[in-house]
Amino acid sequence: MPESLVFYYSAASTEDLREVEKWVGHIGQQLDGIMAKRADAPYRPGDDHSTVKIKNYRSADCVIGGFRDHSIGSARNELLLGLYDKKGHLQYVSSVGVDAKQKQQVGMLRPKKTTTFYDRQPGEKSHWSGEAAGPWKPVAPTNVVEVRYDHFSDQRFRHGCTFLRVRQDKMPKDCLLEQVVEHAASQNINAFIEAGLATAGASRTC
C-alpha cells in the first residue's frame, strides 16, 4: 500500500489489515463500505476530502427487459435490467442510465406488448432516490449489457448501476441471479484496498 492508512467500521478503527479483511466480507450486505484515512491526517468533521469510502465494486451481466427515454415522456434515458431466477423468471433488479453513445452501442430493442418482468415491476419513481423516473416500455429479452454495482440486496441493486459495455457474446438465459449472490472478500486485501482507493479518487473528480 502506498501510505499508512487507518480504517473505520462503525465505532471501530484499525490499521491491521487482518482485521480489515474480516470487515470486507460484510461489504454489500450489512456494510456499505469501509472508511479509510491517512494515519497522520487529522480528523476534520464535515470534510469529505479527509476520508474515502472503499466499496466492493463488482460487475454483472443483465438482460434488458425495458427502457425509459425522453421520447415516451420519461425524465431519464435508461435501460431496465433483469436477471433470471432458478425458475426461469426474469426478475427486475434495477435500471442503468445511458447516454447517446451507449444507446447506439446497445442498438435496436424489439418492443413487447406485455411486461417482460415477473413479480416486481419498474415503478415511475426511483426505488432508491424517490425521484420521478417516468413511464417505461417493455422489450423482448434478447440484449445483454454488463453493469457495475456495489450493493445487491432484497433482489435488487440498491445504489444504482453504471453501464460498462454491451455483451453480444452472452446469452440472456445465462444472466442469472446467482451471479450476484454475495461472496467472500477478495483474497488479496492489498489489491482490494488499492482498487477501492483508485475508484473513490476517480469518482471524486467527476
Side-chain angles (χ1 to χ4, degrees):
M1 291 180 19
E3 55 190 349
S4 178
L5 299 173
V6 58
F7 300 90
Y8 298 88
Y9 168 27
S10 186
S13 65
T14 187
E15 295 182 44
D16 186 346
L17 291 186
R18 291 170 298 181
E19 188 66 20
V20 175
E21 205 161 8
K22 297 176 186 177
W23 297 348
V24 170
H26 297 286
I27 293 181
Q29 299 179 63
Q30 303 97 325
L31 189 62
D32 182 36
I34 293 173
M35 302 302 295
K37 180 179 72 67
R38 281 180 49 189
D40 60 352
Y43 173 66
R44 301 184 182 92
D47 180 6
D48 62 359
H49 293 284
S50 64
T51 60
V52 295
K53 179 181 285 186
I54 301 175
K55 295 188 175 186
N56 192 7
Y57 287 104
R58 289 144 289 180
S59 69
D61 297 317
C62 298
V63 181
I64 301 174
F67 71 92
R68 290 189 180 96
D69 66 26
H70 301 312
S71 70
I72 61 171
S74 300
R76 306 173 182 174
N77 292 321
E78 58 187 14
L79 306 174
L80 306 179
L81 309 175
L83 293 172
Y84 284 102
D85 62 21
K86 292 181 179 179
K87 294 182 179 180
H89 298 141
L90 187 65
Q91 301 287 352
Y92 173 64
V93 292
S94 190
S95 60
V96 62
V98 288
D99 59 25
K101 181 178 179 181
Q102 292 163 341
K103 286 177 67 176
Q104 187 175 26
Q105 291 172 0
V106 171
M108 293 294 294
L109 298 173
R110 185 155 49 92
K112 197 170 179 290
K113 291 184 178 180
T114 58
T115 182
T116 313
F117 300 113
Y118 185 84
D119 198 15
R120 177 190 291 141
Q121 301 295 312
E124 294 205 2
K125 287 187 176 181
S126 168
H127 65 259
W128 57 278
S129 71
E131 297 177 356
W136 66 281
K137 297 285 186 181
V139 299
T142 57
N143 298 66
V144 176
V145 293
E146 182 181 4
V147 299
R148 189 184 73 181
Y149 71 99
D150 71 338
H151 192 155
F152 186 86
S153 65
D154 190 29
Q155 301 296 291
R156 62 176 56 163
F157 298 120
R158 301 302 298 184
H159 299 153
C161 305
T162 301
F163 180 95
L164 294 179
R165 59 174 174 152
V166 175
R167 289 296 307 267
Q168 295 179 337
D169 59 326
K170 187 87 171 186
M171 296 293 292
K173 66 181 178 65
D174 295 328
C175 298
L176 306 176
L177 274 167
E178 294 176 359
Q179 70 181 299
V180 292
V181 172
E182 301 301 338
H183 297 290
S186 168
Q187 294 297 312
N188 187 334
I189 188 66
N190 285 295
F192 166 78
I193 292 170
E194 293 278 8
L197 292 173
T199 303
S203 64
R204 191 174 277 171
T205 62
C206 293

